[in-house]
Amino acid sequence: MIEWFTTAQVAIAVVVGIVCLIAGGVGRAPSDLTNGLTAFVALLLLAQVVVSIVAPFVGNDPTGDPVEYWVYLISALLLPPLAIVWGLVDRSRWSTVVLGVVGLAVAVMVYRMGQIWFVQVA
């Protein structure tokens, strides 16, 4: 179940990143849609935090370095809210590009967190 959720998070973050990059590429300022999509990614990351806290208690311990995992998780939790704030304050096409880059960066971080949790050998 956690693997499926992680895969879905990566896919959603990639789609959000691509949508925002395309919108920024054509000169669009951040819209409610791009800010909303990035906020959705942030909500999924909050769910990831809950899953990460609960999983060890049900016997699903990470197989990789937990410090690296939590550093990625905290970074991924900080990036979307900061990008959303910038998108709401700045309202330039570059803010939309930043939202796109943040979406793709979060996708990479969530993918790496999935590898740490499931794939690596302890």
Side-chain angles (χ1 to χ4, degrees), residues 6-119:
T6 302
T7 303
Q9 277 186 301
V10 170
I12 290 168
V14 166
V15 169
V16 166
I18 290 171
V19 166
C20 292
L21 284 175
I22 290 171
V26 297
R28 298 268 328 243
S31 65
D32 292 338
L33 175 66
T34 54
N35 278 322
L37 288 172
T38 308
F40 182 66
V41 169
L43 286 175
L44 287 176
L45 289 169
L46 286 176
Q48 181 76 20
V49 169
V50 172
V51 168
S52 300
I53 291 170
V54 171
F57 293 108
V58 296
N60 189 7
D61 294 325
T63 59
D65 182 16
V67 172
E68 182 184 9
Y69 178 85
W70 284 100
V71 167
Y72 276 121
L73 187 60
I74 291 168
S75 299
L77 283 170
L78 291 175
L79 281 175
L82 292 174
I84 292 166
V85 168
W86 186 13
L88 291 172
V89 171
D90 187 27
R91 293 284 185 184
S92 70
R93 71 179 282 208
W94 296 112
S95 299
T96 309
V97 171
V98 166
L99 289 170
V101 170
V102 165
L104 295 176
V106 167
V108 170
M109 286 188 275
V110 170
Y111 174 76
R112 181 67 185 131
M113 287 186 295
Q115 285 184 325
I116 292 168
W117 199 273
F118 299 109
V119 179

